[in-house]
Amino acid sequence: MERLRSIDATLVSSDDRSTVRVVAQTEHGYRGAVELPSGISVGANEAKLVLPEQAIAVIRDTVAPAVIGSDVLEQRSFDERLMALDATSDRSVLGANSLLPVSLAVCRAAAAALNRALYTQISELAETAPALPTLVQVMIEGGAHAPASGISLQEC
């Protein structure tokens, strides 16, 4: 068991955009840090984002108090607790950018506590063997990213 001691959320600005940075620290000093930039996709089935400044307030005022003391080695249970905080399917109440960086920072802290690389930790959680990524190339760009193309699908 490795309990979550603190979560710190700040804004990091670059290229005229604000990014949410979350640092999770455990009781024995293991840390996980994540910077989560806001995307530009506007798909109907995507999780909803809130303004980065609002995400920071949500993390500090709602998320952190609800998860401090949780066992970072129990990622599934931790993520279920986060999802229960915003029970909407699209995370429209708290915002995906308030929940996802906390989950990822905790995952990194757990990997550090177990002396594992992050990809090994994620593989273990997914019950898969670690593998090198498969390269993908976008051949057609359409949808919201290229409205002049007349193509309704996003990418292929």
Side-chain angles (χ1 to χ4, degrees), residues 5 20 23 27-28 31 36 42 46 48 50 59 64 82 86 88 96 108 111 117-118 123 143 153:
R5 182 174 65 191
V20 176
V23 178
E27 62 188 341
H28 294 106
R31 296 182 58 211
L36 185 80
V42 292
E46 292 185 34
K48 303 299 183 222
V50 296
I59 292 167
L82 287 177
D86 182 342
T88 61
R108 282 185 183 267
L118 180 61
S123 269
L153 58 96

Side-chain angles (χ1 to χ4, degrees), residues 18-150:
S18 294
T19 296
V20 176
R21 177 178 169 78
V22 173
V23 178
Q25 187 160 352
T26 71
E27 62 188 341
H28 294 106
Y30 297 105
R31 296 182 58 211
V34 171
E35 291 182 9
L36 185 80
S38 295
I40 59 170
S41 295
V42 292
N45 296 316
E46 292 185 34
K48 303 299 183 222
L49 303 176
V50 296
L51 293 172
E53 296 80 7
Q54 185 180 352
I56 299 299
V58 166
I59 292 167
R60 289 180 180 164
D61 300 341
T62 304
V63 177
V67 297
I68 297 296
S70 299
D71 185 357
V72 301
L73 302 180
E74 296 294 330
Q75 187 76 41
R76 185 174 309 278
S77 146
F78 187 87
D79 287 345
E80 287 170 354
R81 185 178 240 177
L82 287 177
M83 289 187 293
L85 291 173
D86 182 342
T88 61
S89 62
D90 62 359
R91 307 298 170 235
S92 58
V93 173
L94 300 179
N97 54 335
S98 301
L99 302 173
L100 184 58
V102 173
S103 175
L104 291 170
V106 163
C107 188
R108 282 185 183 267
L114 295 169
N115 197 27
R116 291 182 179 161
L118 180 61
Y119 74 89
T120 304
Q121 177 69 2
I122 292 172
S123 269
E124 189 78 21
L125 293 169
E127 299 177 354
T128 62
L132 291 173
T134 302
L135 297 177
V136 176
Q137 182 174 1
V138 175
M139 300 300 289
I140 299 173
E141 186 73 64
H145 293 289
S149 71

